[in-house]
Each structure stands twice: as C-alpha cells, then as structure tokens.
C-alpha cells in the first residue's frame, strides 16, 4: 500500500525559511511524479511545485519562483521543498502528492496519493 508522509512544517516570521520533506513508501513503479500543493482556509487547493521522476524537470507556481526549490532523492523515495523568503500569503496546509503519470501536472485531481498535510504559518 502506497503511503505518503510530510514533515517540516511550522511557524516562521516573514522573510524566514522552512524546509518540507516528503517520504513515499510502497511504490509499485520506479517512475513517478511528485508534487507539492497547498490549501488555505476557504480556498481551493493550489499547485506549488512538481518534479519529474528523473529530477531533471521542475515546475513552479509563478508566485513562488525564485523563492522555493523542489528536489528529490529517488534512492530514498523522498522529495523536499526548500522555502525561502516566506511571506504571510504562503500560510497554508502543504500537501505532498505523487502520481504515476509523467506529465508534471498542475492539477491536483491528477495525483492519486496524498499525505495528510503539514501546516506552514508565516507571521508578519
């Protein structure tokens, strides 16, 4: 059974940094896309970043480009999201997700497996 678990959320002041990690277990294939999404109260789940199975291709939400970096270690089935220069508007529950699809989709409905989420709060 495939499981996804996030870690690393917390409270940080504006301008600070956090690093989120995600571990996937029980994968049935070696090629899979991993992504990060976030959801604030009353707002639809939003794409943040995704990375291809090889790690060679990444995709970012425009508002986080240059501040967030997604990376992965396939040998450990892990993906990380380094978040720098955080802003209050980055406050949300952050979810890690994975899909066997290889298109680096920004649509959360195309990701089959999800972690429970981790809270990120940025104070002004």
């Amino acid at each position: 059974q495939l499981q996804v678990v996030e870690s690393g959320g917390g409270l940080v002041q504006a301008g600070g940094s956090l690093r989120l990690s995600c571990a996937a277990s029980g994968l049935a294939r070696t090629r899979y896309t991993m992504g990060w999404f976030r959801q604030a109260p009353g707002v639809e789940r939003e794409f943040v970043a995704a990375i291809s199975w090889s790690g060679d291709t990444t995709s970012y939400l425009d508002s986080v480009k240059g501040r967030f970096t997604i990376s992965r270690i396939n040998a450990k089935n892990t993906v990380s999201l380094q978040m720098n220069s955080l802003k209050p508007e980055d406050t949300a529950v952050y979810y890690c997700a994975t899909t066997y699809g290889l298109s680096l989709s920004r649509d959360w409905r195309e990701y089959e497996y999800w972690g429970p989420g981790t809270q990120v709060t940025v104070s002004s």
Side-chain angles (χ1 to χ4, degrees):
Q1 181 178 357
L2 196 151
Q3 291 186 323
V4 179
V5 179
E6 308 94 341
S7 62
L11 172 65
V12 65
Q13 288 189 333
S17 298
L18 281 175
R19 185 177 182 88
L20 305 182
S21 294
C22 170
S25 61
L27 291 154
R29 306 177 195 174
T30 57
R31 297 187 178 190
Y32 51 96
T33 297
M34 297 191 80
W36 287 96
F37 293 78
R38 65 188 182 187
Q39 189 166 21
V43 179
E44 186 176 3
R45 192 164 295 190
E46 177 181 51
F47 169 81
V48 176
I51 188 165
S52 65
W53 68 271
S54 65
D56 291 342
T57 305
T58 57
S59 179
Y60 294 94
L61 176 69
D62 283 350
S63 64
V64 308
K65 282 181 181 178
R67 299 189 298 123
F68 291 11
T69 302
I70 188 171
S71 59
R72 69 188 291 170
I73 303 176
N74 282 343
K76 298 183 178 180
N77 293 335
T78 62
V79 65
S80 296
L81 185 68
Q82 177 66 41
M83 304 186 295
N84 298 327
S85 301
L86 283 160
K87 303 176 181 180
E89 51 263 43
D90 294 318
T91 294
V93 177
Y94 282 70
Y95 298 91
C96 178
T98 187
T99 174
Y100 292 125
L102 303 179
S103 64
L104 233 63
S105 174
R106 293 174 171 236
D107 186 345
W108 63 266
R109 289 162 290 212
E110 296 191 14
Y111 288 73
E112 300 99 334
Y113 307 100
W114 291 82
T118 185
Q119 178 70 46
V120 171
T121 303
V122 184
S123 63
S124 57

